[in-house]
Amino acid sequence: MQQIGLLLVISLVACGQQSAQQQTTTTRQADTTSVYQFRTPSRDGIGKVYQGREIAQVMGHLGAAWLERPEREQEERTDLLLKSLELKPTDVVADIGAGTGFFTFQMAPKLPNGKVIAVDIQPEMIAYLNQGKDKRKLTNVEPVLGTESDPKLKPSSIDLAILIDAYHEFSFPREMISHIATALKPGGRLVLVEYRAEDPAVPIKELHKLSIAQATKEMKAAGLRLLKSDDRLPQQHIMFFGR
């Protein structure tokens, strides 16, 4: 069912986005660095390659229903993910690629003296976040509209950045992670949650998975090292990185 759901989302997203070839042309024109390579896009990719990995197509706002599906918490065990973060009441957390705020709104009550900065690059998702914030009467959620290459976070402003099933879709992963690393306070952590590429039984398309080895290589390029990997979730890695 999870595979079918993801296929449906990808089909919906395709209706509201540029074609993969158009995405490739756009990112090639915008890219002035030499850290990326380009090739003919695969079915689920954009044709842009970083550290040997083709970047996956982005899930758009038309896939919001998938993010909010009732069975998500049980399938992904987001309760276990929340425990693994060991949040402190005063933490400032950046939820990068926050989408509809599914996880943002689970973290916020754990941060009575802190806040969640919910970052997304789609105005439609920012609208979802603002609606959810108002509905729940949360004063410690701050939606922020970022760009493909900049999450718009202030230097040394966050204790933790979490990216849930989002990093593999970043069009400019090198730039984004560099900005996030700069935004971390001393001792701050960056957490990647990604479907396990090492496990062929995980029913997710290959470009939407990420291995520990690949993630470690890509984070190293931004000066971050793997602190620990937590595999308590049914199908996803929880990877903690820091300086």
Side-chain angles (χ1 to χ4, degrees):
M1 288 298 294
Q2 191 174 47
Q3 179 70 53
I4 293 172
L6 185 59
L7 287 171
L8 176 60
V9 168
I10 290 174
S11 296
L12 287 170
V13 170
C15 295
Q17 295 184 319
Q18 298 172 307
S19 69
Q21 185 62 52
Q22 289 172 320
Q23 288 180 355
T24 303
T25 301
T26 300
T27 52
R28 182 186 287 116
Q29 290 172 344
D31 179 24
T32 58
T33 72
S34 60
V35 299
Y36 302 109
Q37 294 78 47
F38 296 89
R39 66 189 187 198
T40 301
S42 64
R43 180 175 178 178
D44 303 307
I46 66 171
K48 187 174 183 179
V49 179
Y50 179 58
Q51 299 276 5
R53 174 184 64 85
E54 184 181 4
I55 296 167
Q57 293 180 19
V58 176
M59 176 183 289
H61 66 277
L62 295 178
W66 167 256
L67 298 176
E68 292 292 328
R69 65 194 188 279
E71 63 272 23
R72 181 178 177 185
E73 184 166 355
Q74 185 58 38
E75 285 179 354
E76 299 184 6
R77 292 303 307 271
T78 51
D79 58 322
L80 296 180
L81 172 57
L82 190 58
K83 289 179 181 178
S84 76
L85 300 179
E86 299 179 346
L87 297 175
K88 299 175 182 177
T90 57
D91 279 346
V92 176
V93 179
D95 186 0
I96 312 294
T100 58
F102 182 84
F103 200 65
T104 288
F105 298 133
Q106 293 186 47
M107 291 189 290
K110 305 290 184 183
L111 307 169
N113 301 311
K115 67 177 177 178
V116 183
I117 303 172
V119 179
D120 207 279
I121 66 171
Q122 301 176 80
E124 296 86 354
M125 291 301 194
I126 297 299
Y128 276 115
L129 289 161
N130 279 315
Q131 291 168 9
K133 170 186 174 181
D134 293 342
K135 179 181 178 180
R136 295 168 177 81
K137 295 181 171 55
L138 292 170
T139 59
N140 64 339
V141 171
E142 178 186 343
V144 170
L145 182 64
T147 71
E148 288 185 327
S149 59
D150 188 348
K152 303 297 182 180
L153 298 170
K154 296 178 181 179
S156 302
S157 63
I158 61 174
D159 298 286
L160 183 143
I162 185 164
L163 292 69
I164 304 176
D165 301 326
Y167 174 71
H168 63 272
E169 298 178 351
F170 284 2
S171 297
F172 293 88
R174 179 72 169 267
E175 292 82 352
M176 282 291 286
I177 296 304
S178 293
H179 281 300
I180 294 170
T182 298
L184 292 175
K185 297 177 183 178
R189 301 169 295 161
L190 184 154
V191 180
L192 295 184
V193 181
E194 293 280 351
Y195 285 98
R196 297 196 285 269
E198 301 92 335
D199 186 354
V202 173
I204 297 295
K205 293 192 172 186
E206 290 305 313
L207 292 188
H208 291 271
K209 300 179 180 181
L210 193 64
S211 70
I212 294 175
Q214 183 68 31
T216 300
K217 179 169 69 171
E218 296 186 25
M219 295 303 107
K220 183 178 179 181
L224 301 176
R225 62 185 178 88
L226 181 66
L227 302 176
K228 67 175 181 177
S229 175
D230 187 321
D231 286 335
R232 72 180 71 187
L233 301 183
Q235 299 179 326
Q236 296 153 295
H237 291 302
I238 310 171
M239 297 171 280
F240 293 79
F241 294 89
R243 293 198 179 280

